[in-house]
Amino acid sequence: PESAVLALSRAARYGEWLRREPGSAPDLRDIAPARARTVVAECESGWLAPDQVRDLLAAYGLRVPRMEVVRDPAQLMDAAARVGYPLALKLLSKQVVHKTDVGAVFLNLSGPDALRQALDTMAANLARHNLSAEQEGFVLQEMVAGGVEMYVGMTQAPGFGALLAFGSGGTGV
């Protein structure tokens, strides 16, 4: 009887789906696929840099938080003022993929003093993990409230083809 009940439930669910109002296709006139192709073509390392990710998403009309990539620590405070508080501070490094694991992500920084303290803590964390030389700069992003944090990734695997990953973001990655 379990198989019959399962089949009947699926038929009922399909009937409910058929009775729903049809959706609408999104308006895609504002996308810029040529710009997206240029961003990907400019990638040198196989991984897009944070500002390239921002530009790629923007080419397809996806809103992204205000962000600045800062390579010179002397410019960090000015960049933070442009992004606005509260903000997130993240290590910029091609070698350190899971930055939270090494203490290189700080959230909800409320002002310059909190940012300075986060920088000091990050430097100590990187030194403790022997990763100080991997620091290429910083990513400053505005904090966004609400919503669901998601991860989307894509790569070309030799001998397999395109791989797409999608799931919970943040530390869930």
Side-chain angles (χ1 to χ4, degrees), residues 12-94:
R13 193 177 328 150
Y14 179 64
E16 290 172 9
W17 179 77
L18 287 175
R19 286 189 295 276
R20 288 183 16 197
E21 288 293 319
S24 61
D27 181 4
L28 300 177
R29 286 180 286 185
D30 292 337
I31 66 169
R35 174 65 187 137
R37 282 190 289 278
T38 300
V39 169
V40 172
E42 291 172 352
C43 179
E44 298 172 359
S45 69
W47 293 98
L48 294 176
D51 49 346
Q52 290 174 310
V53 171
R54 176 197 58 215
D55 294 347
L56 179 65
L57 294 175
Y60 284 103
L62 297 172
R63 291 181 297 137
V64 295
R66 283 187 313 276
M67 177 191 83
E68 288 212 26
V69 174
V70 180
R71 295 190 184 274
D72 180 357
Q75 299 173 352
L76 201 59
M77 292 301 164
D78 289 338
R82 286 190 299 274
V83 170
Y85 293 97
L87 57 78
L89 169 69
K90 303 174 185 180
L91 172 70
L92 178 63
S93 173
K94 292 180 186 118

Side-chain angles (χ1 to χ4, degrees), residues 64 80 98 101 112 132 169:
V64 295
H98 298 287
D101 293 347
S132 298

Side-chain angles (χ1 to χ4, degrees), residues 83-84 86-90 105-109 115 139-143:
V83 170
L87 57 78
L89 169 69
K90 303 174 185 180
V105 175
F106 296 86
L107 306 176
N108 289 311
L109 300 176
L115 179 55
V139 178
L140 293 170
Q141 292 177 310
E142 75 172 308
M143 291 298 303

